[in-house]
Amino acid sequence: MAEIIQSLPLEDVIGDRFGRYSKYIIQERALPDVRDGLKPVQRRILYAMYSSGNTYEKNFRKSAKTVGDVIGQFHPHGDTSVYDAMVRLSQDWKLRHVLVEMHGNNGSIDNDPPAAMRYTEAKLSLLSDQLLRDINKETVDFVPNYDDTEMEPMVLPARFPNLLVNGSTGISAGYATDIPPHNLAEVISATLKYIDNPDITVNQLMKNIKGPDFPTGGIIQGIEGIKKAYETGKGKIIIRSKTEMETLRNGRSQIIVTEIPYEVNKSNLVKKIDELRADKKVEGIVEVRDETDRSGLRMAIELKKDVNANAILNFLYKNTDLQVAYNFNMVAISDGRPKLMGIKPMIDSYLNHQIEVVTRRTQHDLSHAEARMHIVEGLIKTLSILDEVIAIIRNSKNKSDAKNNLVSEFDFTKEQAEAIVMLQLYRLTNTDIVALQDEHKDLETLIAKLKHILDDHEALLDVIKNELNDIKAQFKSPRRSVIEAEIAEIKIDKEVIVPSETVMMSVTHEGYIKRTSLRSFNASGKEEIGIKDKDTVLTVQEVNTQDTALVFTNKGRYLLIAVHKLPDIKWKDLGKHVSQIVPIDEDEAIVQAFVVSNFTDDEAIVTATRQGMIKKSLLSGFKSSRTSKPLVAAKVKAGDEIISVMKVNAKNDLQLITLLTHKGMSLTYPLSELPETGLRAAGVKAINLKEADTVVLADTVDDEDTILIATQRGALKRVRATLLQSAKRAQRGMTLLKELKKNPHRVVAAKVCRPEHQTFILRSNNEQYEGSIEDIHLSEQYTNGSFIVDITTFGEIKHLEINMLFKN
């Protein structure tokens, strides 16, 4: 054999070879044919069982024998793959109507493996006989098998729409298919409607086919998804387990699951629910039991007393396979090519296949009837000249000579002559001629009927309809899956996910955050909080684990952190930096933190910037499902930053907001001056700033409050809030500091003192000064206050803190 070496580019070779391989696995392995709904291996298994007589009315036969027949005659692949395909055809939780009956362990819904093929026995089911019926009447094309020693069918006659009834799933090169099973009676009813009216709409077809009908039952949600899939071949539905509630003697209740979604592994589902319970991802479950027995599937989820069973069920729908999404991807081989098909093209392809099958069967029956009639006519003629025929045969030399003599003497055809010489003597009775005449009449009627079917297309369609109705009557069964029009929204109650617990949350100016149990907090002493050197506490709050923390930064962004997800750290230990929970920029600083139980329209967030912008946004707008990244709270211009964030009562328009600037200007006005804006807005002008002036303080004030002001010269001044006259927004405001020509006082820090506050702390980088708020006497409007610290020794004032932690 001559050796031929070709020099070709690698990409051409790989492209060509992979193209051939792809064509093979698309057409010959992974995708079903639209006509009989079978993949090649399934078709070969059914045909091998049929041709070897392993049919429904016979005894069961060892599966190994069938697998051997399939491998040896039609499908030269591994025995395991063939046996697995055969087992799947027998699993009533995978197929709506099984095509193979099996004795022995054929696996389970828990994905247990079947017994070895040497132990199990199988035969064709009664319904699969309808797939193979009339295959010996030349109804379908046959092709040589892999070694040209046998002939195998390219497709089965498939007397019912098996692709829709049993569905299919598979993955090939560049294509995948997911066709759900349907109810046989509904599919046949829709097919009959289509035969009567090929222009029928999908909506009209859906009056017959309600939707998929899974062998495992369940609840299907989303009629729009079904309709879209039936129109285009692609669509999405939700499959939900069927559940019921039971009350136990001890007062507890339990959720009973009786049906689970299609192709969900039950044992994995039970394991997942139990893991959620053990990991305390869900509160209220005592135990999960698999109580499935021969009477049917049953899972019991026992609950604690007085828990919301529906809330737990919703959590399980969301986080386990008690509810799954099913995506239609109805791809099948049509005319030798993979094609995405809606329900009408599927039924149309099946109907065209049936027209061909019935036509070919009718032609086959007609030719056989005409051939038999020809023989019967010869036999009747023979009986009328019986003596002469016998004489001719007796005088002939042999069988061949007798046939030739009959043809030449009496004008018999060769076929008739063959039948005459093979005639048995007992047939030459008077009664037999009556039987022949009756058979002749029956054949005349049959031939006329068959010719009418071939000549009249409507008659042919009637044959298809009658046979489909017969199959429907014999094999129909009630729907197992319930269909609901809308996809139910799953609302998860926080109490189910997180146990309600009161904890302490602390946030520092440098961004360290933690939650601490009340036990650790009380044991450590309230002042012994663990913080870094030179860091200071921004806020400490008593919160609930079911709350949500809103942490605002100077860049106008906010972080949403569930309190239960905060690191649980002892009170004396350093917290975790917020950037390790939600990533923020290196130069981004924490401004304020609040804790929210409910995001409502009753409260609002007010933000103020150093350059004099302010905005108010309803708290409800801050709710988001995205918690992994910072979210926009306010649009901040370049060179500006957020200096204050307030949580206010959105309904109280009389609430006063006061602003204080670096040069000692103060402006106070009611909340009604602020319009409600979205989160991405920049807001409105808060105060009309002088040149080179900036906002130092923005906060809410009441009549009982006072304002403590620290200047760069180390002076402190305290004024009553009642001195601040209410004005309009965006004005210049009033002066709180007396202007000096030489070395004027400038505000570097300021705080609003509430009636309950008692102490203040001034901090520089290296020093700290602590005093009583009452020791700072209330000043008049135009004084500069009293000198508290010597700046030359104390250093630049960095922070003014009021009522540090819980000091009394």
Side-chain angles (χ1 to χ4, degrees):
M1 190 172 179
E3 186 179 81
I4 301 172
I5 299 175
Q6 293 178 297
S7 179
L8 298 167
L10 182 63
E11 58 267 26
D12 291 351
V13 174
I14 291 176
D16 175 65
R17 301 300 187 273
F18 187 76
R20 295 185 197 180
Y21 165 73
S22 300
K23 182 175 183 292
Y24 171 77
I25 62 168
I26 287 168
Q27 293 181 337
E28 299 296 329
R29 185 179 297 179
L31 300 182
D33 193 294
V34 70
R35 296 169 292 179
D36 62 4
L38 298 172
K39 300 176 186 179
V41 65
Q42 296 170 329
R43 190 178 300 117
R44 287 164 176 166
I45 289 168
L46 297 181
Y47 182 67
M49 295 176 80
Y50 176 81
S51 58
S52 64
N54 190 17
T55 49
Y56 71 93
E57 75 278 7
K58 307 281 182 60
N59 290 331
F60 284 86
R61 187 180 294 172
K62 282 290 181 188
S63 300
K65 169 74 167 61
T66 299
V67 171
D69 289 344
V70 173
I71 293 172
Q73 293 176 317
F74 307 117
H75 198 74
H77 293 267
D79 58 348
T80 304
S81 62
V82 173
Y83 183 53
D84 288 347
M86 179 180 171
V87 166
R88 193 179 194 281
L89 292 173
S90 74
Q91 293 177 330
D92 58 8
W93 60 94
K94 291 286 180 73
L95 270 67
R96 186 62 180 80
H97 293 271
V98 298
L99 301 177
V100 171
E101 289 183 38
M102 191 169 279
H103 271 175
N105 171 17
N106 68 333
S108 76
I109 199 168
D110 293 330
N111 210 26
D112 296 319
M117 66 182 88
R118 62 182 177 274
Y119 298 121
T120 59
E121 298 177 333
K123 66 179 181 179
L124 291 176
S125 71
L126 181 59
L127 182 62
S128 63
D129 184 60
Q130 299 297 330
L131 286 177
L132 291 147
R133 197 175 92 199
D134 302 326
I135 196 169
N136 294 327
K137 292 187 176 183
E138 300 171 12
T139 49
V140 293
D141 292 331
F142 278 69
V143 291
N145 69 342
Y146 68 94
D147 62 357
D148 294 340
T149 57
E150 301 254 356
M151 298 295 283
E152 61 173 313
M154 292 180 68
V155 67
L156 299 188
R159 307 319 309 279
F160 67 94
N162 181 55
L163 182 60
L164 283 170
V165 170
N166 277 321
S168 186
T169 181
I171 301 172
S172 68
Y175 290 92
T177 186
D178 272 299
I179 304 170
H182 290 77
N183 185 275
L184 180 139
E186 290 182 2
V187 171
I188 289 179
S189 295
T191 305
L192 295 171
K193 291 288 184 185
Y194 184 83
I195 293 171
D196 291 335
N197 178 19
D199 296 324
I200 193 170
T201 65
V202 170
N203 278 338
Q204 290 170 323
L205 281 175
M206 285 181 67
K207 291 178 181 176
N208 295 102
I209 300 185
K210 311 294 183 189
D213 187 25
F214 295 106
T216 50
I219 299 166
I220 298 169
Q221 294 182 337
I223 281 184
E224 282 303 312
I226 297 172
K227 183 183 175 187
K228 185 179 177 185
Y230 286 173
E231 288 173 344
T232 65
K234 280 185 176 288
K236 180 181 176 181
I237 55 173
I238 297 296
I239 315 173
R240 177 176 281 195
S241 301
K242 196 173 284 186
T243 59
E244 55 192 47
M245 301 294 175
E246 280 187 3
T247 303
L248 303 175
R249 288 182 181 177
N250 56 13
R252 289 178 179 166
S253 61
Q254 61 182 9
I255 301 169
I256 301 297
V257 181
T258 54
E259 294 175 7
I260 61 175
Y262 184 54
E263 293 198 328
V264 165
N265 185 321
K266 174 170 62 65
S267 62
N268 286 351
L269 177 57
V270 172
K271 183 181 176 184
K272 174 67 176 176
I273 296 172
D274 200 46
E275 285 175 355
L276 291 174
R277 177 199 62 78
D279 296 342
K280 296 188 176 177
K281 297 280 181 67
V282 57
E283 289 292 317
I285 296 179
V286 176
E287 68 169 330
V288 186
R289 298 184 302 274
D290 185 355
E291 298 178 350
T292 304
D293 56 21
R294 66 181 60 193
S295 63
L297 186 145
R298 179 182 165 96
M299 283 167 48
I301 304 166
E302 188 174 336
L303 308 177
K304 295 177 182 176
K305 279 187 179 180
D306 303 322
V307 299
N308 186 337
N310 285 324
I312 288 178
L313 189 55
N314 279 342
F315 178 84
L316 296 178
Y317 281 148
K318 182 85 171 177
N319 294 281
T320 71
D321 284 345
L322 271 185
Q323 175 174 305
V324 300
Y326 183 93
N327 292 289
F328 289 77
N329 185 27
M330 303 205 290
V331 176
I333 301 295
S334 176
D335 298 324
R337 294 175 177 274
K339 189 176 177 184
L340 182 67
M341 311 176 82
I343 197 165
K344 280 184 67 177
M346 278 188 174
I347 294 175
D348 185 63
S349 297
Y350 171 76
L351 180 58
N352 290 335
H353 175 56
Q354 284 309 295
I355 289 171
E356 183 182 355
V357 165
V358 173
T359 300
R360 291 175 65 161
R361 181 189 69 186
T362 306
Q363 289 169 340
H364 175 273
D365 289 346
L366 179 61
S367 61
H368 276 255
E370 288 176 337
R372 177 60 185 166
M373 189 169 182
H374 183 60
I375 299 300
V376 169
E377 286 172 346
L379 293 176
I380 291 173
K381 180 180 176 182
T382 300
L383 292 176
S384 65
I385 51 169
L386 187 58
D387 294 339
E388 292 92 331
V389 169
I390 291 172
I392 288 289
I393 294 172
R394 290 183 67 183
N395 293 326
S396 300
K397 298 174 184 176
N398 51 36
K399 178 184 175 184
S400 178
D401 186 41
K403 285 162 61 179
N404 291 334
N405 290 336
L406 288 171
V407 170
S408 58
E409 285 292 328
F410 303 110
D411 290 332
F412 286 116
T413 63
K414 287 183 179 180
E415 291 80 8
Q416 289 174 329
E418 174 72 24
I420 291 167
V421 297
M422 296 299 293
L423 199 63
Q424 293 172 313
L425 288 174
Y426 81 88
R427 299 284 303 275
L428 305 176
T429 62
N430 286 332
T431 55
D432 201 51
I433 191 166
V434 176
L436 286 171
Q437 287 169 345
D438 289 343
E439 185 180 358
H440 190 269
K441 279 183 187 177
D442 292 342
L443 287 169
E444 279 183 332
T445 305
L446 176 60
I447 289 168
K449 179 183 175 184
L450 295 174
K451 284 182 175 178
H452 176 63
I453 291 171
L454 292 173
D455 293 339
D456 187 343
H457 186 67
E458 290 299 321
L460 187 144
L461 292 177
D462 284 341
V463 171
I464 296 172
K465 285 158 66 175
N466 290 335
E467 292 181 354
L468 282 172
N469 273 319
D470 290 343
I471 294 172
K472 176 182 172 182
Q474 186 176 0
F475 295 101
K476 68 179 178 182
S477 62
R479 277 194 71 88
R480 294 182 187 174
S481 296
V482 177
I483 293 180
E484 295 179 354
E486 301 298 327
I487 296 175
E489 182 184 358
I490 298 177
K491 292 182 180 177
I492 297 178
D493 193 333
K494 279 187 182 177
E495 293 178 7
V496 171
I497 311 169
V498 186
S500 178
E501 181 186 356
T502 301
V503 294
M504 300 305 297
M505 183 188 84
S506 66
V507 186
T508 72
H509 280 97
E510 287 193 12
Y512 287 87
I513 189 169
K514 67 183 176 184
R515 68 179 170 99
T516 305
S517 67
L518 290 180
R519 183 178 178 183
S520 172
F521 174 73
N522 293 325
S524 301
K526 297 173 183 177
E527 297 174 28
E528 297 183 21
I529 182 171
I531 56 174
K532 292 177 74 175
D533 289 343
K534 300 179 184 178
D535 192 8
T536 55
V537 173
L538 177 66
T539 181
V540 172
Q541 300 178 53
E542 189 175 281
V543 298
N544 192 284
T545 48
Q546 294 178 354
D547 295 339
T548 303
L550 264 72
V551 182
F552 292 86
T553 76
N554 63 334
K555 289 192 173 184
R557 303 198 295 178
Y558 73 100
L559 321 177
L560 271 176
I561 308 172
V563 170
H564 74 273
K565 290 185 178 179
L566 290 174
D568 188 1
I569 297 173
K570 291 180 180 178
W571 190 246
K572 289 184 178 181
D573 295 339
L574 187 67
K576 191 174 185 179
H577 198 271
V578 73
S579 62
Q580 294 180 277
I581 303 170
V582 182
I584 60 173
D585 299 337
E586 284 187 21
D587 59 343
E588 200 164 2
I590 303 303
V591 175
Q592 187 56 277
F594 299 114
V595 170
V596 178
S597 299
N598 296 301
F599 290 83
T600 67
D601 289 341
D602 294 335
E603 292 183 294
I605 298 293
V606 176
T607 57
T609 76
R610 194 170 296 283
Q611 298 298 332
M613 299 299 289
I614 193 166
K615 64 173 286 192
K616 179 179 74 171
S617 300
L618 291 177
L619 183 62
S620 57
F622 287 82
K623 187 175 183 180
S624 175
S625 58
R626 198 181 93 172
T627 58
S628 60
K629 293 181 179 180
L631 302 165
V632 176
K635 186 178 179 182
V636 179
K637 294 177 182 177
D640 198 2
E641 65 174 346
I642 300 288
I643 61 148
S644 176
V645 183
M646 299 153 268
K647 188 168 71 167
V648 299
N649 183 346
K651 309 296 183 184
N652 184 8
D653 286 341
L654 299 178
Q655 172 73 63
L656 293 177
I657 291 175
T658 190
L659 295 103
L660 183 62
T661 74
H662 182 60
K663 291 187 176 181
M665 300 303 295
S666 171
L667 181 63
T668 304
Y669 46 80
L671 195 63
S672 58
E673 289 287 308
L674 301 181
E676 287 176 8
T677 59
L679 297 191
R680 294 187 175 273
V684 293
K685 184 182 283 190
I687 185 170
N688 189 8
L689 292 172
K690 294 180 180 179
E691 186 178 351
D693 200 3
T694 57
V695 177
V696 175
L697 168 72
D699 205 349
T700 58
V701 288
D702 291 319
D703 289 347
E704 298 85 13
D705 298 338
T706 59
I707 298 172
L708 189 62
I709 302 166
T711 75
Q712 93 285 11
R713 293 176 60 186
L716 251 64
K717 173 180 177 176
R718 188 161 70 105
V719 298
R720 289 188 179 90
T722 51
L723 282 178
L724 308 175
Q725 298 171 4
S726 181
K728 295 287 185 182
R729 176 181 58 80
Q731 294 180 352
R732 180 70 45 97
M734 58 191 288
T735 303
L736 283 188
L737 292 182
K738 190 174 182 180
E739 187 68 34
L740 302 176
K741 290 183 179 180
K742 187 178 179 182
N743 194 14
H745 286 272
R746 296 289 181 246
V747 179
V748 291
K751 287 281 183 178
V752 173
C753 304
R754 313 294 180 192
E756 65 271 17
H757 292 159
Q758 294 181 351
T759 59
F760 71 89
I761 295 177
L762 287 179
R763 286 182 189 267
S764 73
N765 283 338
N766 303 308
E767 299 290 335
Q768 173 177 309
Y769 177 85
E770 183 176 334
S772 169
I773 291 173
E774 294 298 324
D775 291 343
I776 310 299
H777 72 274
L778 289 164
S779 307
E780 293 304 318
Q781 186 172 339
Y782 295 108
T783 62
N784 288 318
S786 308
F787 285 94
I788 298 295
V789 294
D790 182 358
I791 293 299
T792 57
T793 58
F794 184 77
E796 181 188 358
I797 295 174
K798 291 288 186 182
H799 288 296
L800 169 59
E801 296 178 19
I802 300 297
N803 200 35
M804 164 66 177
L805 294 187
F806 296 87
K807 269 193 170 300
N808 297 315

